[in-house]
Structures are given as C-alpha cells and as structure tokens.
Amino acid sequence: LRIADPAILMRNGFEVDGTKYGVRFTSQVWPGDTLNSTATVEEVTDGIVNLKVETTNQDGSTVLSGYATARVD
C-alpha cells in the first residue's frame, strides 16, 4: 500500500502520484485533547483502495472525517 505523507498531500492540492486525501474538521480541537485516528479500508477495486479516515477526541466525539484513495502495490 502506498500512501504519501499527508503533509505533502496537503501542500500539493490533495493529490500526489495518484493518491488522493481529503479531510474536514467537524468539531473544535483544543490544546491538551487526546486524539485517536483511524483509516478503515472500505473497498479495494482494480488495485485502488478506498479508505475512510476519522479522528475522535478523548470523549469519543468525531473531530475530523474524510477519505483517502491510493494504489495498492
């Protein structure tokens, strides 16, 4: 699985070498919050993997959600 560094993806318009990444903050995040991020494989078709990306805080509230798509090597 090839997924580029998210910082590189953000600098280059959310797509690098066929990898796409997009997220949106859905709630406020504060200094001192404990965050837990997950990427869940939703589908693999023709060498392309689609992921659901989500981050929750210490209360279990979703603070970020989005997607990633990448080629499977």
Side-chain angles (χ1 to χ4, degrees):
L1 176 65
R2 283 179 63 194
I3 298 180
D5 177 3
I8 293 170
L9 294 170
M10 299 286 273
R11 279 197 307 270
N12 292 304
F14 303 100
E15 184 170 353
V16 173
D17 192 26
T19 301
K20 297 178 184 176
Y21 179 78
V23 297
R24 174 170 292 243
F25 282 93
T26 58
S27 186
Q28 184 72 41
V29 176
W30 299 99
D33 280 354
T34 300
L35 303 175
N36 182 43
S37 297
T38 59
T40 304
V41 175
E42 292 198 317
E43 180 181 32
V44 179
T45 306
D46 298 327
I48 302 294
V49 62
N50 293 316
L51 303 160
K52 175 183 175 185
V53 178
E54 185 174 78
T55 299
T56 57
N57 66 11
Q58 66 278 359
D59 299 323
S61 298
T62 300
V63 296
L64 180 142
S65 63
Y67 69 91
T69 301
R71 286 191 311 258
V72 179
D73 289 337

